Amino acid sequence: MKKTVVVLGVGPGLGMSIAHRFGREGYAVALVSRSDARHGGYLSALADAGVEASALTADVRDRDRLWSVLDTIADRHGSVDVVYYGPGAVDPSARPVPIDRIGSDAVRESMSAVYPAVDVVEKVLPGMTERGDGGLLFAGGLSAVVPLPALGALALASAALRNYALTLNAGLAGSGVYAGTLTIGGLIERGDIHTLVTSQPGGPGEVVSLDPDLIADEAWRLYTDRDRPEATFDMLTPAGDGERLQP
């Protein structure tokens, strides 16, 4: 039976690139997003590429629904072997409140995108540990490691998710289960935020963006090589200069 990758929070940018990358390696793909409005197109694109795929709906903040969907995927495909966790923390059209203007309510709201990551791990990790194999990949923002005051409470959530992934990586050493994180600073081509920004009248002009296929390649390398817990893509700071940074 094929191994299965679950892509949580799938969108037209990085989520679909992850799906195609693992699909090329022979994985069955299970897509999960809050709405099924784009599932038909996603499944058609994967089928054209010869990738076995299914799609289900769940808001990751609804733990009962999320766990039910993960059970359905495991029943349908036999197991959940890799999970990519990439739900957006906010509405793409919402402007974050700068760090010097936030209150604790904003932090609690932002952190609500982190708690489901723990719910996912709680659900799938026992099976991975029992099999002695599996992968947990998380996508987060550069504000986890670089001060970006304009992102406000999102920076705190990004830091929490990154720390969770890195600590999981250390805690799972020797278990056969890998955990790692993609720390991303920049607009991702084909993604909803990239589309929104570049479509604005009188927008920012030339936008330096990240190719989601290259990020997906790096996600695959993290999972297969297992020699480091993190890959960072920095298009936002002079020090990054668009290079892939490694710890």
Side-chain angles (χ1 to χ4, degrees):
M1 185 173 290
K2 289 183 177 181
K3 289 187 175 182
T4 301
V5 59
V6 178
V7 181
L8 286 168
V10 62
L14 183 53
M16 279 299 290
S17 288
I18 294 285
H20 278 283
R21 186 65 183 87
F22 277 79
R24 288 203 305 273
E25 301 295 336
Y27 280 67
V29 175
L31 308 175
V32 181
S33 61
R34 283 177 293 182
S35 167
D36 63 0
R38 296 188 284 193
H39 283 177
Y42 295 161
L43 293 174
S44 178
L46 289 167
D48 289 345
V51 177
E52 176 188 342
S54 60
L56 293 153
T57 59
D59 185 330
V60 295
R61 293 174 176 85
D62 181 344
R63 187 172 72 166
D64 290 342
R65 174 61 182 168
L66 176 63
W67 280 18
S68 175
V69 163
L70 290 170
D71 280 336
T72 298
I73 293 168
D75 290 342
R76 182 177 298 172
H77 295 282
S79 62
V80 171
D81 300 284
V82 179
V83 173
Y84 164 78
Y85 183 84
V90 295
D91 181 338
S93 64
R95 290 181 177 273
V97 177
I99 195 71
D100 58 340
R101 291 166 46 198
I102 65 168
S104 61
D105 286 345
V107 176
R108 277 188 283 270
E109 173 63 24
S110 182
M111 288 293 293
S112 69
V114 179
Y115 305 138
V118 183
D119 291 333
V120 170
V121 174
E122 182 183 0
K123 182 65 174 176
V124 304
L125 183 56
M128 293 179 178
T129 303
E130 182 178 354
R131 295 190 299 273
D133 186 38
L136 302 162
L137 295 168
F138 304 88
L142 187 67
S143 59
V145 293
V146 176
L148 297 172
L151 295 184
L154 295 178
L156 281 69
S158 293
L161 183 62
R162 176 178 182 266
N163 184 270
Y164 180 57
L166 297 182
T167 307
L168 265 180
N169 179 276
L172 293 172
S175 70
V177 182
Y178 172 81
T181 186
L182 302 164
T183 298
I184 302 167
L187 294 176
I188 298 175
E189 295 171 5
R190 302 192 296 273
D192 289 332
I193 296 178
H194 183 276
T195 299
L196 179 68
V197 169
T198 56
S199 66
Q200 294 294 321
E206 183 179 357
V207 175
V208 180
S209 54
L210 291 162
D211 183 342
D213 294 339
L214 296 182
I215 301 175
D217 285 340
E218 192 68 7
W220 175 254
R221 280 191 288 270
L222 283 179
Y223 170 62
T224 54
D225 293 348
R226 303 188 177 201
D227 57 352
R228 54 201 167 92
E230 178 176 24
T232 302
F233 298 82
D234 181 0
M235 301 294 290
L236 299 180
T237 71
D241 196 28
E243 296 295 326
R244 186 176 71 244
L245 307 178
Q246 299 179 3

